[in-house]
Structures are given as C-alpha cells and as structure tokens.
Amino acid sequence: MRHTAPASPRHLSPSRRALLAFLVLLASAVPLLVAAPHASALSKGLMDENLPRSDDPAQRAEFFDVAKRGGVKFVRTYIQWEGKTSHPAPHEIDSIIRYALEAKANGIDTVFIGFNGLIAADEGGGFDDARDISLKRYRTLVQRSVAALKPLQAAGVRLVWEPMNEANIYTLFPRKNGPEVWREMQNIAYDEVKKQTPDAMVVAGELAPYARNPKSTNPGTWVQRALGLDSKFKPKKGTRAKDYAIKADGWTLHAYDYKVDPAKTLKSDTMWTIRNVARTRAILRKIARTKRVPKSAVEKVYITEFAYIAEGGQSTSEENAAKWTKTAWDIAKKNKLRGFLWFQVRDPQDIFYSGLKTIDGDERKVFPVFLDLK
C-alpha cells in the first residue's frame, strides 16, 4: 500500500464514524481498563496481509471465520512506512479502525500494530545508511498513528505497538548503522506511545529468525550491535547501559524454521527460531541482567509470525507442516510464551505461500491442525 495525502480534518470516514458511534454507546458504561494481553497461558494469534483489511466484506468474513473457529485471541497488522513521510496514510488508519472493531465484535480484543516498509529497497525508501532516516519524521509518524488509533482503547481494544518489522532484513532496513538507529526508534516509539496511551504495550524485537542472505543480519548479532554487547552478550568495554538500553514491555520473535523438524534443537546464539526458543529466552534474560532490556519485558515473549511455506526453495510438505505445527505449539507452551501467531490465512497472489489455504481457498493439511491447537 502506498501513502496518500492526509484526509481533510473536516471529513470523517465511515470507519471513524463507526468508531465514534460505538464510543457514544460506551459513554455511560463502566470505564474499561486496558490490561496487558494474555497474562499467562499461550494465546493463539492470526495475521493476513490482505483479507481482514480488504474492502470486500466476504474476504473479511473469511478471515474472522477462521479466527473464530480457531479460538484466536489476538491479531496483527502493519502501518506501511517507507522512511520518508511523517504521517500514516488515511486509508490505512480507516482500515485498521474497521479491522479492530470487527475483531472486537468477533471476540478478539488485542491488536498488534507494527510499522513496516521497504525502507532500504530501491522501490521503497532507498536508504543505504540508517542515519539518513529522519527520526524527527518517525517520531511524528508514531505520534499521529497513536493519536488516530487511541480511541480504540475506549472501545475495549487492547493495542500493542511494534516499532519496526524485521529490521535485520536488508530490503526492509539499512544494515549500515541499522542496529543503532533501530535502538533509537524503539525508544522514540515507546516514549510517544506512553505519552498518549500509558496502558498500551510496546514490544521490542520483530526480527527475522536468521539472515536469509549475506546482506541481512542474524537477530542475535543485530541485538548485540544495538545494545553494545559482545559475542557472549556481555557489555562491551566502554559502553554504558544508559546509552544502550531500550525500553519495552515485551519481546517478540518471528520463529520460522521451514525445513527442519522443530524437535531437532538448533544450537545457535544468533539465529532465533522455534528450534532454540529455550536458548533464546536464556539469552534475553542474560541481556536483561545487563540492564539494557527491562527484566519484565523478556518475561513476556510472543511469537508474532510463524508458518511453513508450501512452495519454493524453502517449502515444507503438507504432511510435515501439519505435524511440525503441533510440535512448534507445544514448544511454545513448554517455554511459557505468551502468544503464537500464524501468518497467514490464504496465500497471496505473489510470494510467501504460507497460507492455511491456497490462493484458491482450498484448505491445506495444516488448517485443521491450527484450528485445534490448545
């Protein structure tokens, strides 16, 4: 989705009118308290880049039908940003409001909202040095996004903010000075969210599980650079916690590991997948002891992207995808994670065929497995 000019302040979109009408109904009700989502047990999440924010009611209904049948408790979406503008696109805000209200109506009260874009790609922002990204514009972007969506909390929607999606992937965020700027953006987002919505959560992480090519960076290595840590996750000489710490209420993982049984443990400190979740949690706790991440944040860990790909060089057979998904869920439960989100419901028209269904809507063998996860 591309950004467009801001909507006139005199114009109220149908989604915003619906939200205001809903809030009027709540005006005489007991005030709603926004608590941290998923206090203890593992909750099931679902994401789709197309269906739930489509203008086609049938597509939105398909997404929520799967979510309801599967007992989904949280969903996730993006605000697209190419690193240059200082405002969210109006059509994105409107579709997120509609999405959140429909999610609430379908028994889902928590929405993770991340910022995502091809900031380092030629077809996106085209930045090759993260220091060229305007942090002033990013701050304004967060301010305006939070202001536009904070009324959802009065409607009983819990918002969880994610400052940047998969920054360690070379097309999404510049590698040069990337970890350092990522750290600054994390703290900017945290501060701006808390100013307007103190009860909303802000999570850190959202890193891809490993470097998919030499231009990208493993998540553990990215965090080491961002927080001033050595290869053993200890503070580098001359670094101070106050200069390298990030603020967060929780931590998120994208735990993909496509072609290997999750029961086969991965012995790596810098690749963070479903196969070494226990090791990753231990590393996060070690980092917390350096006071560069809050201890409370690393005790609230969510998998906010997981799936198996059905086509291409990293594809997994339908049989293995079905079997391994249950194993992955059990690993997440054993390690006391807070959430486990599948990405996505239906294959898109172009790439990343990770749908519970094909492009044509045919159910894959993993579909009933996901519905039955408990």
Side-chain angles (χ1 to χ4, degrees):
M1 290 177 281
R2 303 298 298 174
H3 288 291
T4 58
S8 166
R10 296 181 181 179
H11 173 72
L12 284 177
S13 69
S15 295
R16 298 193 198 194
R17 285 199 299 269
L19 175 58
L20 290 174
F22 189 80
L23 293 177
V24 168
L25 293 176
L26 290 173
S28 61
V30 177
L32 292 165
L33 299 177
V34 179
H38 327 308
S40 56
L42 181 62
S43 294
K44 196 184 303 183
L46 190 62
M47 179 177 181
D48 191 287
E49 289 188 306
N50 300 313
L51 297 182
R53 287 175 57 183
S54 169
D55 289 331
D56 183 347
Q59 291 189 356
R60 301 201 305 273
E62 178 182 354
F63 177 86
F64 288 115
D65 174 67
V66 174
K68 184 173 289 188
R69 290 169 62 190
V72 165
K73 298 300 182 184
F74 71 104
V75 293
R76 179 172 177 260
T77 193
Y78 298 134
I79 292 173
Q80 296 294 337
W81 187 57
E82 77 296 274
K84 295 180 179 179
T85 57
S86 57
H87 57 269
H91 71 274
E92 290 212 279
I93 294 299
D94 291 343
S95 66
I96 290 173
I97 289 173
R98 181 180 62 195
Y99 180 16
L101 292 178
E102 290 183 346
K104 179 67 177 175
N106 282 276
I108 302 166
D109 63 5
T110 300
V111 180
F112 282 63
I113 303 171
F115 295 96
N116 174 70
L118 296 170
I119 294 174
D122 290 340
E123 63 269 35
F127 292 97
D128 58 11
D129 189 330
R131 292 175 299 183
D132 294 332
I133 298 170
S134 171
L135 294 181
K136 180 179 179 181
R137 289 180 179 176
Y138 178 74
R139 184 183 295 275
T140 304
L141 172 77
V142 176
Q143 289 172 344
R144 292 177 175 176
S145 299
V146 174
L149 295 176
K150 68 179 181 180
L152 287 168
Q153 293 197 161
V157 178
R158 296 166 173 159
L159 298 181
V160 182
W161 291 90
E162 306 166 335
M164 187 54 58
N165 179 58
E166 294 197 343
N168 60 323
I169 296 299
Y170 80 101
T171 55
L172 300 186
F173 204 77
R175 185 176 186 180
K176 186 177 181 180
N177 297 299
E180 295 79 12
V181 173
W182 174 83
R183 180 187 67 235
E184 292 184 71
M185 292 172 71
Q186 175 71 32
N187 290 336
I188 287 170
Y190 187 93
D191 289 343
E192 296 305 327
V193 169
K194 295 297 183 178
K195 282 178 186 177
Q196 298 188 61
T197 53
D199 293 327
M201 283 188 69
V202 182
V203 293
E206 292 303 305
L207 299 169
Y210 50 82
R212 297 171 189 165
N213 56 60
K215 295 181 181 180
S216 298
T217 307
N218 278 347
T221 305
W222 184 274
V223 169
Q224 288 167 357
R225 285 179 50 190
L227 304 185
L229 305 172
D230 62 20
S231 61
K232 301 296 183 182
F233 294 93
K234 294 181 179 180
K236 286 185 176 179
K237 186 177 180 179
T239 66
R240 300 180 299 178
K242 70 175 185 177
D243 297 324
Y244 285 87
I246 59 173
K247 304 171 186 177
D249 301 314
W251 194 277
T252 58
L253 302 172
H254 292 183
Y256 300 110
D257 203 335
Y258 304 112
K259 300 181 73 172
V260 184
D261 186 336
K264 295 182 179 180
T265 303
L266 171 66
K267 295 181 179 179
S268 174
D269 288 345
T270 60
M271 298 170 64
W272 293 353
T273 83
I274 191 63
R275 294 195 293 126
N276 65 345
V277 162
R279 194 181 190 99
T280 302
R281 295 213 69 182
I283 289 171
L284 290 172
R285 289 176 176 132
K286 185 174 184 179
I287 294 172
R289 290 194 289 273
T290 71
K291 300 190 182 304
R292 302 192 181 195
V293 177
K295 181 180 179 181
S296 58
V298 303
E299 295 304 324
K300 303 181 186 75
V301 178
Y302 303 80
I303 293 175
T304 50
E305 283 191 28
F306 187 82
Y308 289 104
I309 295 177
E311 298 182 24
Q314 298 189 90
S315 64
T316 302
S317 70
E318 286 204 35
E319 292 76 14
N320 281 342
K323 180 172 60 176
W324 292 353
T325 295
K326 178 60 168 64
T327 302
W329 172 267
D330 291 341
I331 289 171
K333 285 184 69 174
K334 179 180 179 180
N335 286 279
K336 301 185 186 310
L337 271 58
R338 298 295 184 91
F340 181 97
L341 179 142
W342 185 276
F343 179 90
Q344 54 195 341
V345 172
R346 188 188 283 229
D347 285 348
Q349 297 295 324
D350 42 22
I351 60 173
F352 211 77
Y353 297 91
S354 64
L356 297 168
K357 303 179 182 181
T358 67
I359 290 175
D360 296 325
D362 296 327
E363 297 175 3
R364 290 200 170 98
K365 292 181 179 179
V366 71
F367 182 82
V369 173
F370 175 80
L371 295 185
D372 290 343
L373 294 175
K374 290 181 178 62

